[in-house]
Every structure is written in structure tokens, then in C-alpha cells.
């Protein structure tokens, strides 16, 4: 079985090369626009071999300009991410909420979006 985070990373790999894809991490100081993947919840389905994963894609742009150009870059990356999710088999999204991401070094916060996505997987023992 491919892990849900790996499935998401595979689909998002089509994003531009200048965007980083990273697993969930604390105290991250982005040097470039990035998408952080965090699995938040796993629920069963009526099929005992299937699982429904709810994950968050945290889209962050560097703090160099917390308004204007940074917002434009963030909005463009959000649209790129939503396009990939809309066209990826097995992925869907339910909401994209505007927020901020606090860096670990105490400097100003970075503009961000958090996109809630759903991934459906099947599981067999030992795979």
C-alpha cells in the first residue's frame, strides 16, 4: 500500500519546480513558496479494507512581503494546487481557508492557505 501522504506528494509533483513539497514540519522557515502535507484524520468506511484520510495542504509563501506581491504569489499557488487536486484520481478538496504560518525564528508570520483534502485508500495486511 502506498501511504496517503505519498499519494498526495505524487499528485502534487506536477507543480512548478520552484515550489517545495514537504511533509508536515514545525519551525519551518520557508525560503520559497511551499506546500506542506499534514494528515489530520483517518476514518473507516463501510468496506473494511478502505480508509478515508483527511489531510491539510498548508500553502505558504515567504515572509519577504506579507502583503501585495506575497499575496499574489500565494493566490496563484493556491490555484495551481487546487487544479492538481481537482484533476487527481482519488483526491478531493472541501475548503481552502486563509491563514498565516508562524515561523520558528520569531520573525513576522508568513501568509498561508490551509486546504482540506480527502484521500481514499485501500489497505491489505502487510502491504
Amino acid at each position: 500500500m502506498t501511504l496517503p501522504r505519498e499519494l498526495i506528494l505524487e499528485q502534487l509533483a506536477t507543480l512548478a519546480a520552484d515550489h517545495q513539497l514537504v511533509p508536515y514540519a514545525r519551525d519551518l522557515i520557508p525560503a520559497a513558496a511551499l506546500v506542506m502535507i499534514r494528515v489530520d484524520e483517518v476514518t473507516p468506511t463501510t468496506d473494511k479494507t478502505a480508509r478515508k484520510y483527511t489531510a491539510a495542504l498548508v500553502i505558504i509563501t515567504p515572509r519577504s512581503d506579507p502583503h501585495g506581491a506575497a499575496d499574489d504569489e500565494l493566490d496563484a499557488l493556491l490555484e495551481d494546487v487546487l487544479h492538481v487536486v481537482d484533476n487527481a484520481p482519488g483526491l478531493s478538496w472541501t475548503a481552502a481557508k486563509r491563514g498565516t504560518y508562524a515561523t520558528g525564528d520569531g520573525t513576522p508570520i508568513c501568509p498561508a492557505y490551509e486546504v482540506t483534502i480527502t484521500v481514499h485508500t485501500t489497505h491489505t495486511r502487510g502491504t
Side-chain angles (χ1 to χ4, degrees):
M1 176 183 105
T2 303
L3 296 175
R5 186 178 290 124
E6 293 169 347
L7 291 170
I8 296 166
L9 283 168
E10 286 173 9
Q11 296 301 321
L12 293 176
T14 61
L15 290 172
D18 57 344
H19 300 126
Q20 295 177 301
L21 300 174
V22 296
Y24 184 71
R26 293 183 206 144
D27 297 337
L28 184 66
I29 302 169
L34 64 88
V35 178
M36 192 168 31
I37 297 100
R38 180 186 75 219
V39 174
D40 290 335
E41 181 179 39
V42 182
T43 55
T45 65
T46 55
D47 177 354
K48 297 291 184 188
T49 64
R51 313 239 192 294
K52 176 183 163 187
Y53 283 78
T54 303
L57 302 179
V58 182
I59 303 168
I60 305 166
T61 193
R63 64 181 179 270
S64 58
D65 174 12
H67 305 288
D71 281 341
D72 292 345
E73 179 184 22
L74 182 64
D75 291 346
L77 181 53
L78 172 66
E79 285 302 321
D80 290 346
V81 168
L82 295 179
H83 178 76
V84 170
V85 173
D86 282 340
N87 291 289
L91 297 182
S92 61
W93 65 281
T94 55
K97 295 181 182 178
R98 179 78 155 121
T100 56
Y101 183 80
T103 61
D105 64 356
T107 57
I109 55 180
C110 301
Y113 275 105
E114 184 169 303
V115 180
T116 303
I117 66 168
T118 302
V119 182
H120 292 274
T121 65
T122 56
H123 176 75
T124 55
R125 186 180 173 106
T127 59

